Amino acid sequence: MAKAQLASTVALSPLDTAHKQLDIVADRLNLDPGLREVLRTPKRELIVHFPVRMDDGRIRIFEGYRVQHNIARGPAKGGIRYHPNLCLDDVRALAMWMTWKCAVVGIPFGGAKGGVVCNPKSMSKGELERLTRRFATELSIMIGPESDIPAPDMNTNAQIMAWFMDTYSMHKGYSVPAIVTGKPISIGGSEGRFEATGIGVAITIREAATRLGTPLQNARVAVQGFGNVGSVAALYLQNLGCRVIAISDSQGGVFSGEGLDIREAMRYKEAQGQLDGFAERISNADLLELPCDVLVPAAMEDQITAENAPRINTKLLAEAANGPITPEADAILAEKRVFLLPDILANAGGVTVSYFEWVQDLQAFFWKEAEIKAKLESVMVSSFNDVYRMAQEQGTDMRLAAYMLAVRRVTEAIAARGIYP
Ligand code: NAD
């Protein structure tokens, strides 16, 4: 069943998709109907409406959310998103996916997500700071270093986490660095957090290539999106001997059959603000269809669709971005026997080092970068092996295997704890 079924979630809302994915996995695992209902339903949800004084003196009311999907395996963990189209159902879906992502890499967190309906691009720094501080105060009845630990997500960053941490700490009367991750290093952030997701992507690709018998020496790699995740993944893949033949940003991409110098490309992008001019031009659409050995969509969701999936020409595809492949395209790629590294595994290096940041904050003892990288390597390799073994045992693809592993781990925790009282 596997491949087509997880992919049959066409044109659904994120929450419908998340429910459908869960149903497929629950059927496959023959889950008790009561347990299935527990997993479908968020544990806690908070909706807040709060005023912010804008720069022109007006008061505006904003709506914000925090959803804890499941906390059977540990405190809730998940980002804070600022977006004009945010809605509660989307936050519910994102929280559920965080539960699975934490479970698949075996870190002791449950899943959460939150955010504010706002357009941060039209707000001043002062307005964003006041919104963040008030939102952190509104959430303080639900979050805490032992209960629910936010992090950056779309349109939020280390500065916003610093305001979050400071606000929470002001109310407590002492510093509580473990209240958020993704903070600046000066206030308890972790070494290695910036590179963690890209390194994790490269590690899972290396492990997959070994299993597939595809040597990475000279392997052709194309990376869509040259931001935090894409640029670091490209650099590490180059260090593993790959030939990175194409990279891109939102303006378009550059190509060289001989392989691009990724460090030079990073310097060029830093100096010029774009990749255009660094090498021969290639469009984002053409980049995805290049004949290559490894394709890494690292930009945004829904980049590989039913329209372009038939022309994708790679052996291995790593979902560095969240949800870059539509469910219809997923089915097409499965038919073409592309080996897929699903997002909840491939890009879990970020939440893994967030976990390390939280551990360091709680113990007030900080690790060196080399130690963090060694621990990240260990988590990513064993997670890859766990998912690969599940895929082999169950005769399924890596996406369904990752979901099965995650759901099984969460249900084991629920069963071990029992239903209270
Ligand atoms: P980023 O903003 O640093 O980089 C995104 C890159 O994609 C930029 O180079 C941008 O120019 C490019 N881009 C945007 N639209 C594009 C388009 N249409 N075509 C091609 N390129 C485009 O973001 P990031 O942190 O690198 O995140 C990238 C993806 O990885 C997102 O899906 C994010 O949710 C996911 N992710 C990130 C992390 C993390 O730790 N940063 C963790 C897990 C998942």
Side-chain angles (χ1 to χ4, degrees):
M1 64 161 238
K3 291 170 183 155
Q5 277 201 352
L6 256 193
S8 67
T9 49
V10 182
L12 298 172
S13 74
L15 187 60
D16 289 338
T17 301
H19 282 159
K20 180 122 190 186
Q21 289 168 336
L22 174 61
D23 285 342
I24 292 162
V25 178
D27 286 346
R28 181 88 183 207
L29 293 173
N30 205 12
L31 263 199
D32 171 87
L35 265 185
R36 184 188 294 228
E37 231 15 67
V38 172
L39 296 179
R40 278 177 82 85
T41 319
K43 159 85 178 164
R44 281 192 194 105
E45 302 181 338
L46 179 64
I47 304 176
V48 293
H49 298 98
F50 58 93
V52 176
R53 193 174 294 283
M54 308 306 279
D55 288 348
D56 62 5
R58 280 181 313 127
I59 291 170
R60 266 192 63 193
I61 297 290
F62 289 88
E63 180 166 304
Y65 315 106
R66 186 71 179 169
V67 173
Q68 296 173 356
H69 168 254
N70 187 283
I71 54 172
R73 297 183 65 260
K77 185 89 188 82
I80 298 284
R81 180 173 290 196
Y82 289 173
H83 199 275
N85 300 333
L86 192 71
C87 68
L88 182 57
D89 269 354
D90 288 359
V91 178
R92 288 173 170 145
L94 292 162
M96 187 188 285
W97 285 324
M98 280 306 296
T99 303
W100 309 144
K101 191 178 291 191
C102 293
V104 91
V105 284
I107 58 179
F109 282 142
K113 208 78 175 192
V116 178
V117 185
C118 66
N119 182 0
K121 295 195 174 125
S122 70
M123 294 170 70
S124 70
K125 191 172 176 194
E127 288 170 341
L128 269 178
E129 177 172 353
R130 292 193 291 281
L131 176 136
T132 300
R133 288 186 180 279
R134 180 63 189 247
F135 183 51
T137 306
E138 298 289 338
L139 288 196
S140 64
I141 56 171
M142 184 153 165
I143 60 173
E146 278 129 18
S147 56
D148 184 348
I149 306 112
D153 189 69
M154 216 178 264
N155 295 327
T156 59
N157 54 25
Q159 174 62 74
I160 286 177
M161 292 307 109
W163 291 328
F164 232 91
M165 176 272 190
D166 183 67
T167 304
Y168 189 87
S169 301
M170 283 295 144
H171 288 286
K172 289 285 175 194
Y174 51 87
S175 289
V176 190
I179 182 61
V180 287
T181 60
K183 301 177 290 296
I185 288 185
S186 57
I187 55 168
S190 180
E191 295 285 351
R193 173 62 188 88
F194 177 81
E195 291 169 296
T197 308
I199 295 179
V201 170
I203 292 172
T204 54
I205 289 170
R206 186 195 66 205
E207 294 304 299
T210 305
R211 298 297 181 122
L212 296 174
T214 306
L216 282 184
Q217 197 58 42
N218 231 11
R220 296 158 305 167
V221 175
V223 181
Q224 185 204 39
F226 200 63
N228 172 341
V229 180
S231 63
V232 174
L235 185 64
Y236 274 75
L237 288 167
Q238 180 173 276
N239 291 345
L240 289 171
C242 296
R243 201 159 28 113
V244 182
I245 57 170
I247 53 178
S248 69
D249 60 21
S250 54
Q251 320 285 314
V254 287
F255 168 83
S256 163
E258 314 282 288
L260 300 156
D261 181 331
I262 297 303
R263 268 205 195 284
E264 277 304 312
M266 287 165 116
R267 276 190 214 109
Y268 186 91
K269 167 97 187 171
E270 178 75 27
Q272 309 290 328
Q274 58 179 28
L275 288 167
D276 197 22
F278 181 69
E280 184 187 329
R281 241 188 106 76
I282 184 171
S283 71
N284 261 301
D286 289 344
L287 177 146
L288 291 174
E289 296 171 20
L290 277 175
C292 59
D293 301 296
V294 183
L295 179 61
V296 185
M300 55 194 296
E301 62 281 1
D302 295 343
Q303 293 302 294
I304 301 177
T305 64
E307 196 279 315
N308 60 357
R311 297 187 299 279
I312 298 293
N313 192 350
T314 185
K315 295 189 185 106
L316 209 165
L317 195 158
E319 288 186 316
N322 283 315
I325 302 176
T326 67
E328 287 164 300
D330 214 7
I332 296 167
L333 296 178
E335 295 269 302
K336 288 165 68 88
R337 309 197 68 77
V338 173
F339 187 90
L340 178 86
L341 286 162
D343 47 9
I344 60 170
L345 171 66
N347 70 30
V351 76
T352 302
V353 174
S354 274
Y355 164 60
F356 297 159
E357 178 176 337
W358 177 75
V359 171
Q360 293 170 83
D361 290 336
L362 287 180
Q363 65 187 9
F365 183 70
F366 290 84
W367 309 334
K368 297 263 185 295
E369 191 175 345
E371 193 174 352
I372 287 158
K373 286 189 173 159
K375 287 180 161 66
L376 174 64
E377 160 89 20
S378 158
V379 169
M380 294 308 297
V381 169
S382 62
S383 305
F384 173 88
N385 287 338
D386 290 347
V387 175
Y388 188 80
R389 198 175 310 115
M390 177 70 97
Q392 299 288 303
E393 279 169 16
Q394 300 290 329
T396 186
D397 60 25
M398 292 285 282
R399 193 190 302 283
L400 183 56
Y403 273 88
M404 287 174 71
L405 188 70
V407 171
R408 185 180 280 175
R409 284 180 175 162
V410 176
T411 51
E412 275 171 11
I414 296 170
R417 291 175 63 153
I419 302 296
Y420 178 84

